[in-house]
Amino acid sequence: MKTAFAALSILLATPVIAEAPKLDGTWASIAPENIGQMYAMRDFIFDGDAWSITFRAFGDEALSVPIFTLDVAGYYKIGGESAVVPGAYNGVFGATDKTLVANSDIAVKMFGDMGCTLDVGVPFDLTDQACGFFHASMDAAGEYDLVAIHGDQLFLGDRAGDLTKERPKALTPFPLVKK
């Protein structure tokens, strides 16, 4: 619980500067994103200081083997320029609502092997209880991230580390485009 309050206080204290990228609108993956053993597609909506994402994971690049869907919503702030990644800005993304849905028996087994019981098609609320590699909102109220716009593409931080504890040191290679 202490971590959740610390993340929220950082979110509220992060100053917004005039040069920070404007994100309002809908941004989506331009192609399937190879994230190791899975492929992902992301759809973000930014509206004022609110944000949401639908993250869909698949077992193949053709996106024909659905695994799970994660929906997250909350509030965000973009602060100053990153001291580590040129052209990027520091961001804090608070997560107030998080829901995980297993879209196949593959996900049921995968999360079951991590000690989390899911049923296909049944939403799992991540408010008070973690599931697999997803933190509960009450344990990690948000993530430290990077935000950069290059041309007409939006890049966020690399997902390799635990963004609830530390800001990424690089941008993801997977851009998003405005719809």
Side-chain angles (χ1 to χ4, degrees):
M1 193 75 159
K2 183 177 178 183
T3 304
F5 289 121
L8 282 176
S9 65
I10 290 169
L11 173 65
L12 296 174
T14 303
V16 176
I17 59 173
E19 298 84 19
K22 304 295 184 226
L23 302 181
D24 278 343
T26 301
W27 297 80
S29 301
I30 61 173
E33 303 170 0
N34 184 339
I35 57 172
Q37 303 296 320
M38 294 179 265
Y39 290 84
M41 293 295 287
R42 298 175 294 155
D43 292 291
F44 281 90
I45 298 173
F46 295 97
D47 183 14
D49 61 356
W51 75 282
S52 65
I53 181 176
T54 297
F55 178 95
R56 293 169 290 134
F58 298 88
D60 64 330
E61 191 172 9
L63 309 178
S64 64
V65 181
I67 299 178
F68 67 85
T69 300
L70 176 70
D71 287 300
V72 182
Y75 296 91
Y76 77 100
K77 237 181 184 176
I78 299 175
E81 290 185 59
S82 169
V84 178
V85 180
Y89 289 81
N90 294 323
V92 177
F93 289 78
T96 55
D97 297 296
K98 293 167 65 172
T99 304
L100 175 64
V101 176
N103 297 326
S104 66
D105 290 334
I106 297 168
V108 170
K109 179 176 179 355
M110 179 178 77
F111 286 105
D113 289 348
M114 293 184 267
C116 181
T117 302
L118 298 177
D119 293 311
V120 174
V122 178
F124 183 91
D125 184 355
L126 290 162
T127 300
D128 290 313
Q129 186 176 352
C131 184
F133 40 79
F134 295 116
H135 296 283
S137 294
M138 290 297 139
D139 295 333
E143 295 183 337
Y144 304 103
D145 210 339
L146 295 172
V147 178
I149 294 182
H150 298 289
D152 63 349
Q153 297 179 332
L154 169 63
F155 292 85
L156 297 171
D158 177 67
R159 311 303 297 170
D162 184 349
L163 276 58
T164 65
K165 296 182 175 138
E166 179 178 56
R167 194 172 309 283
K169 307 273 188 279
L171 295 172
T172 180
F174 305 113
L176 303 162
V177 293
K178 206 167 201 179
K179 286 182 160 181

